[in-house]
């Protein structure tokens, strides 16, 4: 089954394809002729995921899904949250340490969670799936795998950052992996009807 996934990020595409398996062929927006940046103007992860999937559906007419992910840091009252990617991009452009790490300097409470929300548009219906992983922010980036905040986040029950894990290890415990497994289970059940 072909389905459009609202990303052109090769790392994210590979992560999701690994979880979905061979039963699904992921198609990117570029493959469908959508070259422009897909808008993310909503104040919540759910809102952004929904906005992106509806945008893609309007331009392609195809079944599609989109996700939005946020790092929610306890000591920062849930920030950067929905603004995680933007904050990280800005800090990288300035050659600065990621904000979640810089703002926690000297802070004892380093608890955080990653949360992913997926909006699936299939037929005329929208379905939302959420994946959450609890953990903590480390003081220094570690590891070369993954992307985004992966070098800073250690999930509960682990002693390595996401960036120190193989893609399979990360997918087994990650927020995105959990949300995608829910999506895959829904698609399989729908296909069996």
């Amino acid at each position: 089954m072909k389905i459009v996934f609202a990303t052109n990020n090769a790392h994210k595409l590979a992560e999701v394809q690994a979880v979905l398996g061979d039963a699904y062929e992921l198609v990117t927006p570029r493959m469908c002729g959508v070259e422009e940046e897909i808008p993310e103007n909503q104040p919540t992860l759910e809102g952004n995921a929904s906005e992106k999937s509806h945008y893609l559906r309007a331009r392609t007419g195809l079944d599609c899904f989109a996700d939005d992910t946020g790092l929610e840091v306890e000591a920062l009252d849930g920030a950067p949250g929905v603004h995680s990617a933007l904050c990280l991009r800005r800090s990288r452009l300035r050659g600065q340490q990621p904000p979640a790490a810089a703002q926690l300097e000297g802070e004892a409470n380093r608890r955080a969670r990653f949360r992913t929300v997926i909006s699936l548009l299939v037929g005329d219906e929208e379905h939302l799936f959420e994946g959450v992983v609890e953990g903590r922010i480390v003081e220094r980036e570690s590891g070369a795998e993954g992307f985004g905040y992966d070098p800073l986040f250690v999930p509960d029950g682990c002693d390595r950052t996401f960036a120190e894990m193989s893609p399979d290890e990360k997918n087994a415990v990650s927020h995105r992996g959990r949300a995608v497994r829910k999506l895959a289970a829904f698609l399989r059940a729908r296909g069996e009807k």
Side-chain angles (χ1 to χ4, degrees), residues 124-142:
D124 293 328
E125 301 172 357
E126 179 177 22
H127 303 273
L128 296 176
F129 307 93
E130 181 184 59
V132 177
V133 64
E134 303 285 340
R136 62 186 166 82
I137 302 297
V138 294
E139 292 183 19
R140 286 178 198 75
E141 292 185 61
S142 184

Side-chain angles (χ1 to χ4, degrees), residues 23-180:
Y24 303 95
E25 179 187 345
L26 293 184
V27 180
T28 66
R30 280 195 191 112
M31 293 171 165
C32 298
V34 179
E35 297 287 334
E36 67 270 21
E37 196 72 25
I38 299 173
E40 297 180 76
N41 300 312
Q42 302 305 310
T44 65
L45 298 175
E46 292 83 357
N48 274 343
S50 183
E51 180 179 37
K52 291 191 287 186
S53 65
H54 281 88
Y55 184 89
L56 258 185
R57 169 57 80 76
R59 274 145 192 81
T60 67
L62 302 171
D63 290 345
C64 59
F65 68 96
D67 74 326
D68 199 25
T69 295
L71 175 67
E72 299 171 345
V73 181
E74 203 171 275
L76 304 178
D77 296 324
V82 72
H83 305 292
S84 295
L86 177 64
C87 290
L88 185 62
R89 226 177 357 259
R90 286 181 179 163
S91 69
R92 297 279 192 229
L93 286 173
R94 295 178 184 137
Q96 300 171 335
Q97 188 177 22
Q103 293 170 308
L104 289 178
E105 207 158 297
E107 174 65 51
N109 179 6
R110 302 184 75 84
R111 297 291 307 156
R113 71 180 188 162
F114 262 123
R115 193 164 68 92
T116 292
V117 176
I118 294 174
S119 165
L120 169 69
L121 288 178
V122 62
D124 293 328
E125 301 172 357
E126 179 177 22
H127 303 273
L128 296 176
F129 307 93
E130 181 184 59
V132 177
V133 64
E134 303 285 340
R136 62 186 166 82
I137 302 297
V138 294
E139 292 183 19
R140 286 178 198 75
E141 292 185 61
S142 184
E145 294 291 325
F147 58 98
Y149 291 94
D150 287 356
L152 288 169
F153 186 82
V154 175
D156 285 350
C158 298
D159 59 358
R160 295 176 293 154
T161 67
F162 276 153
E164 294 174 297
M165 297 179 183
S166 72
D168 287 343
E169 290 173 317
K170 180 185 174 189
N171 276 335
V173 297
S174 79
H175 47 293
R176 186 171 291 109
R178 291 174 182 185
V180 173

